Amino acid sequence: HTISHDLRDILSPVVTYMDYLREEYGEVLDGQMLQILGEVERQSERAIALLDDLLDLAQVGYVEASGQCVSLSHLIEEGKAELRVAGLLGSHRIEVSALPETWIPESLAYQLLVNLIRNACLYTDPQSGPIEVGCRQEGGLNIYYVRDHGLGVATEERQAIFDIFYRGQAVAQQRGTGVGLAIVRKIALRCQGDAWVEETPGGGATFCVSLPAQPPEAVAVNK
């Protein structure tokens, strides 16, 4: 809670300064510089939105519905652009099936999907096959998944891999913080869902997140 609060206080002036630069110097800055300012502002606003939601997560055991349906396909396109700028997308192919909209806040939905896609990009070879994003429905749950065709996750590591800072043996030498999957599971649990990993038929890992198709009743969860 404290870290999220302090980081938010740092980022808020960044957005203010971007607005000031555009208003005061927009006529003398070239198009590329204005585009850079816009991107800094956009990413800062996204970070502030995430920190606001993390502050909420730190204080309550339940995530309220966002008030409007969130298009996941739209968020994936934004996520691909972010990964491309960060140099992580490379030649990976992302194949997206039809995804039902979700009720959870947009910034949390974005974190769920982009963390899973980023994870697949980091730890799979583009030549191994496409990264597949889809959803299946079971009862009252939407089970969103990100499937790769890489090294997969050893059976004995499938539970621990969602622990914060845990790095699987197969990827321990590659870059990463061990936080992304922990964030995914934390958000899923707070939304009265869950997160787990399955084996991809033929080899690879399929990371799944279950979310209630409709906003559940506001009851506390102790996970």
Side-chain angles (χ1 to χ4, degrees):
H1 177 278
T2 301
I3 292 172
S4 295
H5 182 272
D6 290 348
L7 286 175
R8 193 191 189 289
D9 286 347
I10 292 171
L11 282 170
S12 293
V14 173
V15 176
T16 301
Y17 287 138
M18 293 303 102
D19 283 336
Y20 175 79
L21 288 173
R22 186 185 295 108
E23 291 178 5
E24 296 296 324
Y25 300 101
E27 294 182 358
V28 297
L29 295 175
D30 61 29
Q32 183 179 17
M33 183 58 66
L34 289 173
Q35 183 177 1
I36 291 172
L37 290 177
E39 181 65 18
V40 171
E41 185 175 11
R42 189 178 74 87
Q43 295 296 345
S44 297
E45 289 175 342
R46 180 182 295 282
I48 289 171
L50 172 62
L51 290 171
D52 284 341
D53 286 325
L54 289 177
L55 282 167
D56 290 338
L57 284 174
Q59 297 177 77
V60 299
Y62 174 78
V63 173
E64 295 285 353
S66 64
Q68 59 183 3
C69 292
V70 175
S71 169
L72 298 183
S73 298
H74 171 69
L75 295 183
I76 289 175
E77 290 304 313
E78 289 191 16
K80 286 167 61 177
E82 179 180 321
L83 293 174
R84 187 176 294 109
V85 171
L88 297 177
L89 188 60
S91 58
H92 284 285
R93 290 185 293 117
I94 312 294
E95 296 183 353
V96 183
S97 302
L99 297 174
E101 295 178 327
T102 186
W103 55 270
I104 71 174
E106 181 175 298
S107 62
L108 296 184
Y110 183 87
Q111 287 299 309
L112 286 176
L113 288 173
V114 175
N115 273 318
L116 291 179
I117 295 173
R118 180 188 293 111
N119 191 71
C121 290
L122 279 172
Y123 303 127
T124 61
D125 188 323
Q127 302 304 315
S128 66
I131 296 169
E132 304 166 30
V133 184
C135 181
R136 64 179 188 263
Q137 295 180 317
E138 295 182 3
L141 296 175
N142 289 332
I143 300 178
Y144 302 95
Y145 63 82
V146 175
R147 175 179 295 136
D148 66 54
H149 301 273
L151 297 174
V153 179
T155 303
E156 61 272 17
E157 293 184 325
R158 290 180 186 173
Q159 184 65 32
I161 201 169
F162 289 95
D163 294 342
I164 193 165
F165 303 131
Y166 182 85
R167 304 292 308 286
Q169 294 182 2
V171 299
Q173 302 305 314
Q174 301 185 45
R175 60 176 173 167
T177 63
V179 175
L181 291 178
I183 291 175
V184 167
R185 189 165 189 266
K186 184 74 167 181
I187 294 173
L189 290 174
R190 291 297 176 90
C191 294
Q192 299 197 32
D194 204 352
W196 66 94
V197 59
E198 303 171 348
E199 183 177 358
T200 298
T206 299
F207 286 88
C208 303
V209 173
S210 65
L211 296 173
Q214 300 295 327
E217 294 182 2
V219 295
V221 291
N222 296 315
K223 298 179 179 180

